Amino acid sequence: MMWGSPQPQGNQDAVTLLLAGPPARLTAWSQAFQMDSRFRVVTLATDPQDLQAKLSYNPEAILLDAAIFSGPEPLVQFLTRVQGAAYIVLPPGVPDEVARPIRELTSVKGVYIGDVNLPDLTARMLGDIQALRLQAPAAVGRPAWAQSQTAIGGLRVVAVWSRQGGSGKSTLAAALALDAAQRGYKTLLVGLSTPDISLPTFLNLKTTPNLSLWLSRPTFADGIQPAVQSVGNLDVLVGLQDSLREKDLLLRPEEQASVNNLAIAATYGGYAVIVFDAPVSGCYPAAISASNTLVLVATPTVDGAVLTAEAYRVVFQKLAGQHRVGASNVFIALNRSRSGLLGMNEWHEAARTFAQSVGVQGFPPVAAVIPEVPEVALAANAGRSVLTAGEAFARPVHKLGDMLFGQGVGSADGFKSAEGSVLKLGPIRIRKG
């Protein structure tokens, strides 16, 4: 069948496709692929961070105009984490010594300079994807490399936030990050409160090095990697200790040392899960802007319900257009529940009613109810993992982790690789794991 000719709609075997590039390029590509029912465009991306986040769609193929990347190194770093079929359009005039290592990547099935002939490309894509599907016949219609439906398929950047002091937000942020690391995902926990006292205390870490190194040297190699402290499999970037430096975290998202670019740099460093312990006030908008998932923490009280509904309104009214968190990626955690306080249904009704009174519809349900467990404070004060505080606390945290991260990937995780191995791509060396 010729390119662009009308075809029946609803083809269940259509190749799922992610298109990435400058807006003008995406307009032309998307219009063309929409006319060919052998393909189904599942999402579009116009910048590297958005592209990384949208790998969660598990596309079978990616068509990427590399002009959205700042150079060959970040492009290669991204492609080493793509496990499907990638087709890359490089800018005109790119020399062969730059294009060659890109062609040699496992995920890359085609490299084109300047432009691509779409009819030729579609024929090549269909052949490549059919070959991938034959490698896993039981999963026809799904990417052959896809994890189980309960595992995340791309980058998960989680902002844990509350408008209510004393809600246990930092405790839950640490617990979720520990949970993700236990599932086999390479995980980074970042403290954004200033001064960050909670995370060093909870996790028995030093207060330095910390986030100030990133502000001074905003790259992964110079600013994140040397500042990270480890708790088992979890990496932690402790927050600032000097309150006067908090203004540096309030920079616009496009600034070099912004929270947004910290998330981008961390993904280039191979992290599959990034958890921001966002402050009650201050730079929380920057954390939300950098994230694709939001956990709102509240206590089971009337003021907790009102403050959480107000937080939801802030995200989807005041910050509308400034983040990529969808309503389905907002999770409510009712923390420190105990007898005498509001039950889950009563709390949700109070929050929903207030949200509606200020013009907000569709307030999300409660995803987890976490009881007040005295042993949590004892574990945190002793610098032990709060997940060891008892089953009553750990069970709902793990349940919330199932919603956020899936069942885990163990040693077969596509985001993890042999520890200490180095991938050589011409002059570029990328440490894996």
Side-chain angles (χ1 to χ4, degrees), residues 221-417:
D222 297 330
I224 296 179
Q225 202 167 29
V228 159
Q229 301 179 60
S230 296
V231 180
N233 293 329
L234 172 65
D235 288 347
V236 184
L237 184 55
V238 171
L240 300 173
Q241 303 304 305
D242 181 0
S243 298
L244 296 177
R245 295 214 66 186
E246 185 177 24
K247 62 179 178 59
D248 295 327
L249 291 175
L250 301 177
L251 296 172
R252 294 173 297 171
E254 64 269 19
E255 294 290 345
Q256 188 177 18
S258 68
V259 177
N260 196 54
N261 280 337
L262 188 153
I264 294 173
T267 65
Y268 289 159
Y271 289 102
V273 175
I274 303 166
V275 178
F276 287 120
D277 179 19
V280 172
S281 59
C283 73
Y284 72 85
I288 294 170
S289 174
S291 302
N292 56 28
T293 304
L294 176 64
V295 175
L296 291 175
V297 186
T299 57
T301 58
V302 173
D303 63 325
V306 172
L307 288 170
T308 305
E310 172 62 16
Y312 189 81
R313 184 180 76 86
V314 167
V315 172
F316 289 101
Q317 288 187 357
K318 292 185 178 180
L319 298 180
Q322 299 179 38
H323 60 81
R324 55 184 62 82
V325 178
S328 62
N329 274 348
V330 177
F331 300 84
I332 306 292
L334 206 55
N335 197 26
R336 296 181 171 171
S337 176
R338 64 181 185 272
S339 177
L341 299 182
L342 297 182
M344 180 180 70
N345 293 336
E346 189 179 8
W347 183 94
H348 185 267
E349 180 61 23
R352 186 185 65 82
T353 300
F354 177 81
Q356 288 181 338
S357 73
V358 293
V360 177
Q361 302 298 322
F363 186 77
V366 175
V369 178
I370 304 170
E372 178 77 70
V373 178
E375 288 77 13
V376 171
L378 297 177
N381 288 338
R384 294 186 288 108
S385 168
V386 292
L387 292 179
T388 67
E391 188 66 19
F393 176 79
R395 188 187 303 111
V397 171
H398 291 322
K399 180 181 177 182
L400 183 56
D402 288 343
M403 300 178 194
L404 296 175
F405 314 122
Q407 296 300 317
V409 289
S411 60
D413 180 14
F415 295 106
K416 296 176 71 68
S417 55

Side-chain angles (χ1 to χ4, degrees), residues 16-86:
T16 56
L17 179 63
L18 186 160
L19 303 177
R25 178 81 84 175
L26 291 186
T27 298
W29 282 352
S30 60
Q31 289 176 350
F33 278 102
Q34 285 170 5
M35 298 179 65
D36 191 332
S37 66
R38 297 171 300 177
F39 296 87
R40 179 165 60 88
V41 177
V42 293
T43 189
L44 309 175
T46 58
D47 63 70
Q49 185 188 19
D50 191 30
L51 174 58
Q52 179 68 50
K54 286 177 177 175
L55 285 180
S56 62
Y57 285 81
N58 283 328
E60 294 181 277
I62 298 174
L63 177 55
L64 166 62
D65 185 334
I68 62 174
F69 285 85
S70 60
E73 184 171 358
L75 171 63
V76 169
Q77 290 174 329
F78 166 76
L79 290 171
T80 58
R81 294 190 295 277
V82 172
Q83 299 182 41

Side-chain angles (χ1 to χ4, degrees), residues 92-112:
V94 169
D96 186 63
E97 58 266 26
V98 172
R100 189 184 310 113
I102 297 173
R103 289 192 183 96
E104 294 172 355
L105 290 170
T106 302
S107 64
V108 175
K109 305 302 181 184
V111 173
Y112 308 88

